[in-house]
mmCIF file with all atom_site columns, all heavy atoms in Angstrom:
data_model
loop_
_atom_site.group_PDB
_atom_site.id
_atom_site.type_symbol
_atom_site.label_atom_id
_atom_site.label_alt_id
_atom_site.label_comp_id
_atom_site.label_asym_id
_atom_site.label_entity_id
_atom_site.label_seq_id
_atom_site.pdbx_PDB_ins_code
_atom_site.Cartn_x
_atom_site.Cartn_y
_atom_site.Cartn_z
_atom_site.occupancy
_atom_site.B_iso_or_equiv
_atom_site.pdbx_formal_charge
_atom_site.auth_seq_id
_atom_site.auth_comp_id
_atom_site.auth_asym_id
_atom_site.auth_atom_id
_atom_site.pdbx_PDB_model_num
ATOM   1   N  N   . HIS A 1 14  ? 13.744 -12.418 -5.767 1.00 0.00 ? 14  HIS A N   1
ATOM   2   C  CA  . HIS A 1 14  ? 13.531 -11.188 -5.138 1.00 0.00 ? 14  HIS A CA  1
ATOM   3   C  C   . HIS A 1 14  ? 14.362 -11.080 -3.769 1.00 0.00 ? 14  HIS A C   1
ATOM   4   O  O   . HIS A 1 14  ? 13.901 -11.494 -2.721 1.00 0.00 ? 14  HIS A O   1
ATOM   5   C  CB  . HIS A 1 14  ? 12.053 -11.100 -4.791 1.00 0.00 ? 14  HIS A CB  1
ATOM   6   C  CG  . HIS A 1 14  ? 11.543 -9.777  -4.299 1.00 0.00 ? 14  HIS A CG  1
ATOM   7   N  ND1 . HIS A 1 14  ? 10.290 -9.401  -4.202 1.00 0.00 ? 14  HIS A ND1 1
ATOM   8   C  CD2 . HIS A 1 14  ? 12.321 -8.727  -3.654 1.00 0.00 ? 14  HIS A CD2 1
ATOM   9   C  CE1 . HIS A 1 14  ? 10.159 -8.183  -3.639 1.00 0.00 ? 14  HIS A CE1 1
ATOM   10  N  NE2 . HIS A 1 14  ? 11.313 -7.738  -3.281 1.00 0.00 ? 14  HIS A NE2 1
ATOM   11  N  N   . ALA A 1 15  ? 15.633 -10.602 -3.934 1.00 0.00 ? 15  ALA A N   1
ATOM   12  C  CA  . ALA A 1 15  ? 16.462 -10.384 -2.717 1.00 0.00 ? 15  ALA A CA  1
ATOM   13  C  C   . ALA A 1 15  ? 17.083 -8.986  -2.801 1.00 0.00 ? 15  ALA A C   1
ATOM   14  O  O   . ALA A 1 15  ? 17.379 -8.411  -3.847 1.00 0.00 ? 15  ALA A O   1
ATOM   15  C  CB  . ALA A 1 15  ? 17.545 -11.379 -2.775 1.00 0.00 ? 15  ALA A CB  1
ATOM   16  N  N   . HIS A 1 16  ? 17.321 -8.477  -1.614 1.00 0.00 ? 16  HIS A N   1
ATOM   17  C  CA  . HIS A 1 16  ? 17.860 -7.110  -1.476 1.00 0.00 ? 16  HIS A CA  1
ATOM   18  C  C   . HIS A 1 16  ? 19.319 -7.167  -0.923 1.00 0.00 ? 16  HIS A C   1
ATOM   19  O  O   . HIS A 1 16  ? 19.692 -8.169  -0.293 1.00 0.00 ? 16  HIS A O   1
ATOM   20  C  CB  . HIS A 1 16  ? 17.053 -6.243  -0.543 1.00 0.00 ? 16  HIS A CB  1
ATOM   21  C  CG  . HIS A 1 16  ? 15.617 -6.078  -1.094 1.00 0.00 ? 16  HIS A CG  1
ATOM   22  N  ND1 . HIS A 1 16  ? 15.407 -4.916  -1.953 1.00 0.00 ? 16  HIS A ND1 1
ATOM   23  C  CD2 . HIS A 1 16  ? 14.452 -6.678  -1.038 1.00 0.00 ? 16  HIS A CD2 1
ATOM   24  C  CE1 . HIS A 1 16  ? 14.118 -4.913  -2.346 1.00 0.00 ? 16  HIS A CE1 1
ATOM   25  N  NE2 . HIS A 1 16  ? 13.513 -6.013  -1.768 1.00 0.00 ? 16  HIS A NE2 1
ATOM   26  N  N   . ASP A 1 21  ? 18.026 -1.210  0.669  1.00 0.00 ? 21  ASP A N   1
ATOM   27  C  CA  . ASP A 1 21  ? 17.758 -1.311  2.068  1.00 0.00 ? 21  ASP A CA  1
ATOM   28  C  C   . ASP A 1 21  ? 18.020 -2.669  2.742  1.00 0.00 ? 21  ASP A C   1
ATOM   29  O  O   . ASP A 1 21  ? 17.611 -2.942  3.885  1.00 0.00 ? 21  ASP A O   1
ATOM   30  C  CB  . ASP A 1 21  ? 16.289 -0.782  2.447  1.00 0.00 ? 21  ASP A CB  1
ATOM   31  C  CG  . ASP A 1 21  ? 15.296 -1.581  1.800  1.00 0.00 ? 21  ASP A CG  1
ATOM   32  O  OD1 . ASP A 1 21  ? 15.618 -2.477  0.939  1.00 0.00 ? 21  ASP A OD1 1
ATOM   33  O  OD2 . ASP A 1 21  ? 14.058 -1.511  2.125  1.00 0.00 ? 21  ASP A OD2 1
ATOM   34  N  N   . ALA A 1 43  ? 17.092 -7.741  -6.535 1.00 0.00 ? 43  ALA A N   1
ATOM   35  C  CA  . ALA A 1 43  ? 16.043 -6.820  -6.889 1.00 0.00 ? 43  ALA A CA  1
ATOM   36  C  C   . ALA A 1 43  ? 16.063 -5.671  -5.883 1.00 0.00 ? 43  ALA A C   1
ATOM   37  O  O   . ALA A 1 43  ? 15.066 -5.570  -5.183 1.00 0.00 ? 43  ALA A O   1
ATOM   38  C  CB  . ALA A 1 43  ? 14.678 -7.508  -6.938 1.00 0.00 ? 43  ALA A CB  1
ATOM   39  N  N   . HIS A 1 45  ? 15.737 -1.798  -4.560 1.00 0.00 ? 45  HIS A N   1
ATOM   40  C  CA  . HIS A 1 45  ? 14.797 -0.745  -4.814 1.00 0.00 ? 45  HIS A CA  1
ATOM   41  C  C   . HIS A 1 45  ? 15.279 0.235   -5.749 1.00 0.00 ? 45  HIS A C   1
ATOM   42  O  O   . HIS A 1 45  ? 16.370 0.917   -5.522 1.00 0.00 ? 45  HIS A O   1
ATOM   43  C  CB  . HIS A 1 45  ? 14.285 -0.126  -3.531 1.00 0.00 ? 45  HIS A CB  1
ATOM   44  C  CG  . HIS A 1 45  ? 13.564 -0.938  -2.600 1.00 0.00 ? 45  HIS A CG  1
ATOM   45  N  ND1 . HIS A 1 45  ? 12.252 -1.310  -2.778 1.00 0.00 ? 45  HIS A ND1 1
ATOM   46  C  CD2 . HIS A 1 45  ? 13.992 -1.619  -1.478 1.00 0.00 ? 45  HIS A CD2 1
ATOM   47  C  CE1 . HIS A 1 45  ? 11.854 -2.089  -1.715 1.00 0.00 ? 45  HIS A CE1 1
ATOM   48  N  NE2 . HIS A 1 45  ? 12.786 -2.340  -0.974 1.00 0.00 ? 45  HIS A NE2 1
ATOM   49  N  N   . GLU A 1 78  ? 13.475 -3.593  -8.078 1.00 0.00 ? 78  GLU A N   1
ATOM   50  C  CA  . GLU A 1 78  ? 12.067 -3.574  -7.614 1.00 0.00 ? 78  GLU A CA  1
ATOM   51  C  C   . GLU A 1 78  ? 11.662 -2.039  -7.760 1.00 0.00 ? 78  GLU A C   1
ATOM   52  O  O   . GLU A 1 78  ? 12.101 -1.202  -7.212 1.00 0.00 ? 78  GLU A O   1
ATOM   53  C  CB  . GLU A 1 78  ? 11.968 -3.952  -6.223 1.00 0.00 ? 78  GLU A CB  1
ATOM   54  C  CG  . GLU A 1 78  ? 10.495 -3.977  -5.664 1.00 0.00 ? 78  GLU A CG  1
ATOM   55  C  CD  . GLU A 1 78  ? 10.381 -4.482  -4.251 1.00 0.00 ? 78  GLU A CD  1
ATOM   56  O  OE1 . GLU A 1 78  ? 11.496 -4.663  -3.531 1.00 0.00 ? 78  GLU A OE1 1
ATOM   57  O  OE2 . GLU A 1 78  ? 9.240  -4.710  -3.851 1.00 0.00 ? 78  GLU A OE2 1
ATOM   58  N  N   . SER A 1 103 ? 6.028  -3.107  -7.604 1.00 0.00 ? 103 SER A N   1
ATOM   59  C  CA  . SER A 1 103 ? 5.446  -3.300  -6.302 1.00 0.00 ? 103 SER A CA  1
ATOM   60  C  C   . SER A 1 103 ? 4.476  -2.161  -5.967 1.00 0.00 ? 103 SER A C   1
ATOM   61  O  O   . SER A 1 103 ? 4.834  -1.020  -6.177 1.00 0.00 ? 103 SER A O   1
ATOM   62  C  CB  . SER A 1 103 ? 6.508  -3.398  -5.192 1.00 0.00 ? 103 SER A CB  1
ATOM   63  O  OG  . SER A 1 103 ? 7.246  -4.535  -5.388 1.00 0.00 ? 103 SER A OG  1
ATOM   64  N  N   . HIS A 1 105 ? 3.853  -0.264  -3.360 1.00 0.00 ? 105 HIS A N   1
ATOM   65  C  CA  . HIS A 1 105 ? 4.181  0.318   -2.027 1.00 0.00 ? 105 HIS A CA  1
ATOM   66  C  C   . HIS A 1 105 ? 3.386  1.444   -1.682 1.00 0.00 ? 105 HIS A C   1
ATOM   67  O  O   . HIS A 1 105 ? 3.610  2.094   -0.606 1.00 0.00 ? 105 HIS A O   1
ATOM   68  C  CB  . HIS A 1 105 ? 5.689  0.680   -2.001 1.00 0.00 ? 105 HIS A CB  1
ATOM   69  C  CG  . HIS A 1 105 ? 6.618  -0.481  -2.294 1.00 0.00 ? 105 HIS A CG  1
ATOM   70  N  ND1 . HIS A 1 105 ? 7.606  -0.484  -3.159 1.00 0.00 ? 105 HIS A ND1 1
ATOM   71  C  CD2 . HIS A 1 105 ? 6.739  -1.675  -1.635 1.00 0.00 ? 105 HIS A CD2 1
ATOM   72  C  CE1 . HIS A 1 105 ? 8.341  -1.652  -3.148 1.00 0.00 ? 105 HIS A CE1 1
ATOM   73  N  NE2 . HIS A 1 105 ? 7.679  -2.467  -2.328 1.00 0.00 ? 105 HIS A NE2 1
ATOM   74  N  N   . ALA A 1 154 ? 5.351  -8.069  -7.314 1.00 0.00 ? 154 ALA A N   1
ATOM   75  C  CA  . ALA A 1 154 ? 5.720  -8.648  -5.982 1.00 0.00 ? 154 ALA A CA  1
ATOM   76  C  C   . ALA A 1 154 ? 4.654  -8.353  -4.797 1.00 0.00 ? 154 ALA A C   1
ATOM   77  O  O   . ALA A 1 154 ? 3.887  -7.429  -4.945 1.00 0.00 ? 154 ALA A O   1
ATOM   78  C  CB  . ALA A 1 154 ? 6.938  -7.880  -5.497 1.00 0.00 ? 154 ALA A CB  1
ATOM   79  N  N   . HIS A 1 155 ? 4.573  -9.243  -3.887 1.00 0.00 ? 155 HIS A N   1
ATOM   80  C  CA  . HIS A 1 155 ? 3.706  -9.139  -2.731 1.00 0.00 ? 155 HIS A CA  1
ATOM   81  C  C   . HIS A 1 155 ? 2.427  -8.261  -2.979 1.00 0.00 ? 155 HIS A C   1
ATOM   82  O  O   . HIS A 1 155 ? 2.084  -7.466  -2.221 1.00 0.00 ? 155 HIS A O   1
ATOM   83  C  CB  . HIS A 1 155 ? 4.429  -8.573  -1.463 1.00 0.00 ? 155 HIS A CB  1
ATOM   84  C  CG  . HIS A 1 155 ? 5.170  -7.162  -1.694 1.00 0.00 ? 155 HIS A CG  1
ATOM   85  N  ND1 . HIS A 1 155 ? 4.469  -6.043  -1.924 1.00 0.00 ? 155 HIS A ND1 1
ATOM   86  C  CD2 . HIS A 1 155 ? 6.509  -6.939  -1.708 1.00 0.00 ? 155 HIS A CD2 1
ATOM   87  C  CE1 . HIS A 1 155 ? 5.365  -5.068  -2.011 1.00 0.00 ? 155 HIS A CE1 1
ATOM   88  N  NE2 . HIS A 1 155 ? 6.627  -5.554  -1.934 1.00 0.00 ? 155 HIS A NE2 1
ATOM   89  N  N   . GLU A 1 194 ? 4.069  -13.020 -7.893 1.00 0.00 ? 194 GLU A N   1
ATOM   90  C  CA  . GLU A 1 194 ? 5.036  -13.462 -6.869 1.00 0.00 ? 194 GLU A CA  1
ATOM   91  C  C   . GLU A 1 194 ? 4.255  -14.175 -5.783 1.00 0.00 ? 194 GLU A C   1
ATOM   92  O  O   . GLU A 1 194 ? 3.338  -13.660 -5.205 1.00 0.00 ? 194 GLU A O   1
ATOM   93  C  CB  . GLU A 1 194 ? 5.867  -12.359 -6.289 1.00 0.00 ? 194 GLU A CB  1
ATOM   94  C  CG  . GLU A 1 194 ? 6.876  -12.766 -5.209 1.00 0.00 ? 194 GLU A CG  1
ATOM   95  C  CD  . GLU A 1 194 ? 7.614  -11.539 -4.774 1.00 0.00 ? 194 GLU A CD  1
ATOM   96  O  OE1 . GLU A 1 194 ? 7.093  -10.891 -3.804 1.00 0.00 ? 194 GLU A OE1 1
ATOM   97  O  OE2 . GLU A 1 194 ? 8.734  -11.259 -5.165 1.00 0.00 ? 194 GLU A OE2 1
ATOM   98  N  N   . ARG A 1 198 ? 8.156  -13.704 2.416  1.00 0.00 ? 198 ARG A N   1
ATOM   99  C  CA  . ARG A 1 198 ? 8.258  -12.777 3.526  1.00 0.00 ? 198 ARG A CA  1
ATOM   100 C  C   . ARG A 1 198 ? 6.802  -12.460 4.118  1.00 0.00 ? 198 ARG A C   1
ATOM   101 O  O   . ARG A 1 198 ? 6.560  -12.478 5.257  1.00 0.00 ? 198 ARG A O   1
ATOM   102 C  CB  . ARG A 1 198 ? 8.995  -11.575 3.145  1.00 0.00 ? 198 ARG A CB  1
ATOM   103 C  CG  . ARG A 1 198 ? 9.054  -10.538 4.132  1.00 0.00 ? 198 ARG A CG  1
ATOM   104 C  CD  . ARG A 1 198 ? 9.827  -9.232  3.591  1.00 0.00 ? 198 ARG A CD  1
ATOM   105 N  NE  . ARG A 1 198 ? 9.835  -8.244  4.557  1.00 0.00 ? 198 ARG A NE  1
ATOM   106 C  CZ  . ARG A 1 198 ? 10.056 -6.928  4.161  1.00 0.00 ? 198 ARG A CZ  1
ATOM   107 N  NH1 . ARG A 1 198 ? 10.225 -6.569  2.879  1.00 0.00 ? 198 ARG A NH1 1
ATOM   108 N  NH2 . ARG A 1 198 ? 10.208 -6.006  5.145  1.00 0.00 ? 198 ARG A NH2 1
ATOM   109 N  N   . TYR A 1 199 ? 5.953  -12.164 3.108  1.00 0.00 ? 199 TYR A N   1
ATOM   110 C  CA  . TYR A 1 199 ? 4.610  -11.672 3.571  1.00 0.00 ? 199 TYR A CA  1
ATOM   111 C  C   . TYR A 1 199 ? 3.597  -12.827 3.536  1.00 0.00 ? 199 TYR A C   1
ATOM   112 O  O   . TYR A 1 199 ? 2.368  -12.574 3.997  1.00 0.00 ? 199 TYR A O   1
ATOM   113 C  CB  . TYR A 1 199 ? 4.144  -10.587 2.584  1.00 0.00 ? 199 TYR A CB  1
ATOM   114 C  CG  . TYR A 1 199 ? 4.946  -9.326  2.831  1.00 0.00 ? 199 TYR A CG  1
ATOM   115 C  CD1 . TYR A 1 199 ? 5.803  -8.895  1.779  1.00 0.00 ? 199 TYR A CD1 1
ATOM   116 C  CD2 . TYR A 1 199 ? 4.749  -8.519  3.856  1.00 0.00 ? 199 TYR A CD2 1
ATOM   117 C  CE1 . TYR A 1 199 ? 6.541  -7.735  1.940  1.00 0.00 ? 199 TYR A CE1 1
ATOM   118 C  CE2 . TYR A 1 199 ? 5.357  -7.292  4.018  1.00 0.00 ? 199 TYR A CE2 1
ATOM   119 C  CZ  . TYR A 1 199 ? 6.351  -6.970  3.046  1.00 0.00 ? 199 TYR A CZ  1
ATOM   120 O  OH  . TYR A 1 199 ? 7.057  -5.757  3.277  1.00 0.00 ? 199 TYR A OH  1
ATOM   121 N  N   . ASP A 1 222 ? 12.005 -11.944 -0.737 1.00 0.00 ? 222 ASP A N   1
ATOM   122 C  CA  . ASP A 1 222 ? 12.072 -10.526 -0.412 1.00 0.00 ? 222 ASP A CA  1
ATOM   123 C  C   . ASP A 1 222 ? 12.958 -10.415 0.777  1.00 0.00 ? 222 ASP A C   1
ATOM   124 O  O   . ASP A 1 222 ? 12.734 -9.653  1.673  1.00 0.00 ? 222 ASP A O   1
ATOM   125 C  CB  . ASP A 1 222 ? 10.572 -10.058 0.007  1.00 0.00 ? 222 ASP A CB  1
ATOM   126 C  CG  . ASP A 1 222 ? 10.434 -8.506  -0.204 1.00 0.00 ? 222 ASP A CG  1
ATOM   127 O  OD1 . ASP A 1 222 ? 11.518 -7.889  -0.431 1.00 0.00 ? 222 ASP A OD1 1
ATOM   128 O  OD2 . ASP A 1 222 ? 9.286  -7.996  -0.173 1.00 0.00 ? 222 ASP A OD2 1
ATOM   129 N  N   . GLY A 1 223 ? 14.078 -11.116 0.742  1.00 0.00 ? 223 GLY A N   1
ATOM   130 C  CA  . GLY A 1 223 ? 15.049 -11.116 1.907  1.00 0.00 ? 223 GLY A CA  1
ATOM   131 C  C   . GLY A 1 223 ? 15.747 -9.855  1.992  1.00 0.00 ? 223 GLY A C   1
ATOM   132 O  O   . GLY A 1 223 ? 16.432 -9.411  0.987  1.00 0.00 ? 223 GLY A O   1
ATOM   133 N  N   . HIS A 1 224 ? 15.833 -9.392  3.218  1.00 0.00 ? 224 HIS A N   1
ATOM   134 C  CA  . HIS A 1 224 ? 16.659 -8.176  3.471  1.00 0.00 ? 224 HIS A CA  1
ATOM   135 C  C   . HIS A 1 224 ? 17.793 -8.545  4.544  1.00 0.00 ? 224 HIS A C   1
ATOM   136 O  O   . HIS A 1 224 ? 18.672 -7.779  4.815  1.00 0.00 ? 224 HIS A O   1
ATOM   137 C  CB  . HIS A 1 224 ? 15.926 -7.052  4.136  1.00 0.00 ? 224 HIS A CB  1
ATOM   138 C  CG  . HIS A 1 224 ? 15.004 -6.383  3.100  1.00 0.00 ? 224 HIS A CG  1
ATOM   139 N  ND1 . HIS A 1 224 ? 13.824 -7.021  2.579  1.00 0.00 ? 224 HIS A ND1 1
ATOM   140 C  CD2 . HIS A 1 224 ? 14.992 -5.120  2.640  1.00 0.00 ? 224 HIS A CD2 1
ATOM   141 C  CE1 . HIS A 1 224 ? 13.287 -6.200  1.785  1.00 0.00 ? 224 HIS A CE1 1
ATOM   142 N  NE2 . HIS A 1 224 ? 13.917 -5.026  1.823  1.00 0.00 ? 224 HIS A NE2 1
HETATM 143 ZN ZN1 . ZN  B 2 .   ? 11.450 -6.127  -1.943 1.00 0.00 ? 2   ZN  B ZN1 1
#
Side-chain angles (χ1 to χ4, degrees):
H14 186 165
H16 294 275
D21 61 351
H45 294 281
E78 182 178 11
S103 295
H105 295 130
H155 55 67
E194 179 183 84
R198 179 181 179 201
Y199 291 106
D222 205 349
H224 291 67

